[in-house]
Amino acid sequence: MDLIPAPSSAVRRPDENFPLGATTTLTAPPGLADAERWLRGTLSAATGLPLGPGRPGTGIELVLDGTLAAEAYRITVRPGHALLAAGGPAGALWAAQTLRQLLGPDAYRRSPLRREGWVLPGADIADAPRFGWRGALLDVARHFLPKSDVLRFVDLLAAHKLNVLHLHLTDDQGWRVEIKRYPRLTGRGAWRERSMVGYRSGQRRDDRPHGGYYTQDDLREIVAYAAARGVTVVPEIDLPGHTQAAVAAYPELGNTDVVDTAALGVWTDWGVSHHVLNASEETLRFFEGVLEEVLELFPSEFIHLGGDECPKEQWKDSAAAQARIRELGLANEDELQSHLIRHFDRWLAERGRRLIGWDEILGGGLAPGAAVSSWRGFGGGVAAAEAGHDVVMCPEQHVYLDHRQADGPDEPVPVGFVRTLEDVYRFEPVPAQLDAAAARHVIGTQANLWSEFADSARDVDYRAFPRLVAFAEVAWSELPAEPAERDYPDFERRLRGHLEVLDALGVEYRPMDGPHPWQRRPGVAGRPIEGPPPVR
């Protein structure tokens, strides 16, 4: 059984297959209603079988098993009975995903290609994830993706047992979440006049206005849709840097004594804008209002507040910022940024939530419950874990999926580091220098897909897959800690079969032997781009 991600154990029972038919049933207790609903809807659509309710001990049966961890499951397939035992609702959803995989690529279609010949192979499978946080970041700020594409991405995450969608909702180039008390954030901040092609100053623009945003009901739908599939949506509201779109919408948020923020537009460049928030009490109250609405939309334990790449030039030149530094008894502009982060750290903690931010937030000290996304290599994550903070490892050198997949002229917009499929498979999230106590603070890992050069679901597919499949196995399976000891040839063999699943799902992945002709984009996007690699 060539399952992806690889389960903890799987034993094939070739003489004990379970043929499915019109009388096959599906049964589950009330506590596993989401898994039952998803499995019946998915398999009935693909097979044409009704899968009506049945009695215990027959058909496909989901049960709770208190001896298992919440995300763990066991599958036992015998003639006439497939038992899926799970430690909790999440484990049942992962068991259901594995059952679907056992039926083959046609089980991933939305309409039956055949109504007979569906067979579950006899098997004993036991499985549980290595990490509790198995995430993917989707940047919808640089290029907006319609809601339908986000829902589709959720399905692709769940199919690979990834359970966190980190939704990057705000940046210099666009604000994507409706905030009812501040309507200009989307009325003005959700649209830019044009976009860069490449990174160099003066690089060609496409001269097309770009924008869009999610209404609050859109986001409630995304969150509920994801939750029903075992995926938690973690929102990111970036501050105090990466905020030009917000300042363009509400100029009083900027450093008005050094720049005419009233004339500022949503940024049309990539990189890091120098326009950052001021540090006034009024700005704190503004973003408290933003976050009050964000908390109502997103029930996730963690709220991501960015905290990275905040240029300090405007604060250095601003008399108001310098007065604020003196008023608060701070030493410099770096401590002013830390003051802002610590303020919202406390604010979230008072409301039962936890702040998570990029590793720059370590600079000023954090509350005990705050967590760190380690993107600038492993150093920030190591420091955070050794200080007792939870860490999600997502170093750009290893798991930035917008970076190019090969070092050839055919790759579209050759961004950043070359990171091949094998490179991703050999990524180890837990640094060897951490002792056992610190290593327990590595709660998970995440692959990040920034969208400067991904302006459609088609481009997202190309950059994410099949590397996200390799990452999913790294995040889920108990692979050898030493990357050189991992059996990449076996993974590659299993992946070649799994590509039929991606085909059935309509994923426009990068072929393993190189880009499709449409992906090569000769002339502009296929030309090497001079300048720095993308920032986070």
Side-chain angles (χ1 to χ4, degrees):
M1 291 175 291
D2 294 333
L3 298 171
I4 293 180
S8 303
S9 68
V11 178
R12 177 77 167 91
R13 307 289 184 187
D15 297 328
E16 302 190 63
N17 295 343
F18 176 13
L20 307 185
T23 61
T24 301
T25 59
L26 173 59
T27 306
L32 301 182
D34 279 345
E36 178 188 18
R37 186 180 306 112
W38 179 86
L39 188 57
R40 177 175 286 112
T42 302
L43 293 191
S44 292
T47 65
L49 303 177
L51 299 176
R55 65 182 189 277
T58 63
I60 300 171
E61 182 183 8
L62 289 85
V63 300
L64 284 166
D65 184 340
T67 68
L68 297 174
E71 289 194 275
Y73 67 88
R74 292 194 309 268
I75 297 177
T76 304
V77 178
R78 298 292 185 271
H81 189 212
L83 181 66
L84 285 65
L93 285 163
W94 307 137
Q97 291 285 358
T98 298
L99 193 79
R100 182 193 197 187
Q101 199 173 158
L102 290 173
L103 288 169
D106 285 349
Y108 289 81
R109 298 191 179 274
R110 299 185 185 185
S111 188
L113 301 185
R114 53 190 168 87
R115 293 183 182 273
E116 297 180 352
W118 294 100
V119 177
L120 282 171
D124 293 311
I125 298 170
D127 205 5
R130 180 184 180 191
F131 293 109
W133 181 304
R134 307 178 301 280
L137 177 145
L138 186 62
D139 173 13
V140 295
R142 271 52 175 268
H143 277 108
F144 177 73
L145 277 182
K147 179 186 66 178
S148 58
D149 291 332
V150 177
L151 297 177
R152 174 180 176 271
F153 195 70
V154 167
D155 281 328
L156 294 175
L157 297 185
H160 295 91
K161 299 186 175 73
L162 296 171
N163 68 341
V164 175
L165 171 60
H166 175 169
L167 207 54
H168 184 75
L169 289 164
T170 70
D171 215 297
D172 298 311
Q173 298 87 359
W175 184 284
R176 308 297 179 210
V177 50
E178 178 189 28
I179 303 297
K180 292 186 181 294
R181 74 187 72 183
Y182 303 126
R184 294 207 305 273
L185 285 172
T186 47
R188 175 73 179 89
W191 299 90
R192 63 175 180 266
E193 294 179 351
R194 60 186 63 88
S195 304
M196 287 180 68
V197 177
Y199 269 100
R200 290 186 302 171
S201 176
Q203 194 84 26
R204 186 178 71 85
R205 265 69 172 175
D206 61 13
D207 292 325
R208 295 180 300 164
H210 178 85
Y213 67 93
Y214 307 106
T215 68
Q216 294 198 355
D217 282 345
D218 288 338
L219 292 167
R220 290 187 183 98
E221 180 183 355
I222 289 169
V223 167
Y225 187 90
R229 288 153 179 77
V231 177
T232 298
V233 182
V234 173
E236 181 178 354
I237 306 296
D238 223 332
L239 58 87
H242 288 287
T243 50
Q244 182 168 329
V247 175
Y250 289 90
E252 64 271 23
L253 297 174
N255 296 281
T256 56
D257 58 343
V258 296
V259 66
D260 179 12
T261 56
L264 195 63
V266 177
W267 209 29
T268 59
D269 285 3
W270 307 134
V272 181
S273 168
H274 290 280
H275 295 285
V276 301
L277 299 178
N278 65 53
S280 68
E281 286 296 320
E282 291 77 14
T283 294
L284 295 181
R285 299 293 88 74
F286 184 99
F287 274 88
E288 286 172 2
V290 168
L291 290 172
E292 284 176 3
E293 297 191 28
V294 168
L295 296 191
E296 191 275 326
L297 296 171
F298 296 92
S300 55
E301 176 186 7
F302 288 99
I303 303 295
H304 208 292
L305 294 188
D308 63 308
E309 296 179 327
C310 180
K312 308 298 191 302
E313 289 86 350
Q314 290 187 357
W315 288 350
K316 290 177 180 177
D317 295 338
S318 167
Q322 293 303 311
R324 185 72 163 148
I325 288 172
R326 292 191 297 272
E327 173 192 350
L328 296 169
L330 305 176
N332 51 37
E333 294 78 19
D334 290 334
E335 287 195 6
L336 183 60
Q337 177 177 354
S338 297
H339 165 76
L340 293 174
I341 295 298
R342 288 197 304 269
H343 171 85
F344 287 107
D345 190 352
R346 292 190 299 269
W347 189 91
L348 288 170
E350 289 167 359
R351 288 154 181 80
R353 306 298 187 94
R354 296 176 65 185
L355 181 145
I356 185 169
W358 304 107
D359 52 60
E360 287 95 327
I361 68 173
L362 284 166
L366 294 174
V372 170
S373 300
S374 187
W375 76 277
R376 296 179 300 173
F378 291 98
V382 169
E386 290 179 341
H389 294 287
D390 287 342
V391 176
V392 175
M393 287 291 187
C394 49
E396 64 170 334
Q397 299 90 340
H398 298 272
V399 288
Y400 269 33
L401 299 187
D402 49 311
H403 289 188
R404 61 196 189 273
Q405 300 176 62
D407 196 17
D410 289 344
E411 294 298 321
V413 188
V415 176
F417 305 99
V418 174
R419 284 300 169 259
T420 66
L421 179 69
E422 183 173 357
D423 291 333
V424 173
Y425 191 71
R426 296 194 187 280
F427 164 60
E428 171 49 45
V430 180
Q433 66 261 46
L434 292 180
D435 62 25
R440 284 193 289 272
H441 283 290
V442 180
I443 61 173
T445 183
Q446 180 172 288
N448 296 339
L449 204 163
W450 304 100
S451 67
E452 288 92 342
F453 301 112
D455 62 0
S456 68
R458 186 180 223 191
D459 284 330
V460 168
D461 279 2
Y462 175 82
R463 285 165 173 76
F465 292 96
R467 290 184 296 181
L468 194 61
V469 181
F471 174 79
E473 185 149 305
V474 169
W476 177 278
S477 304
E478 290 287 349
L479 301 177
E482 175 54 53
E485 295 177 4
R486 294 182 183 173
D487 192 349
Y488 177 73
D490 177 70
F491 170 75
E492 188 178 55
R493 179 189 61 78
R494 287 181 288 122
L495 176 62
R496 290 189 182 279
H498 188 74
L499 294 181
E500 295 183 38
V501 168
L502 299 184
D503 289 333
L505 288 167
V507 178
E508 295 193 77
Y509 55 87
R510 180 188 186 275
M512 295 176 70
D513 58 355
H516 284 303
W518 76 264
Q519 291 161 331
R520 294 190 178 110
R521 296 181 178 178
V524 175
R527 186 179 63 226
I529 302 298
E530 297 178 12
V535 294
R536 76 99 200 92

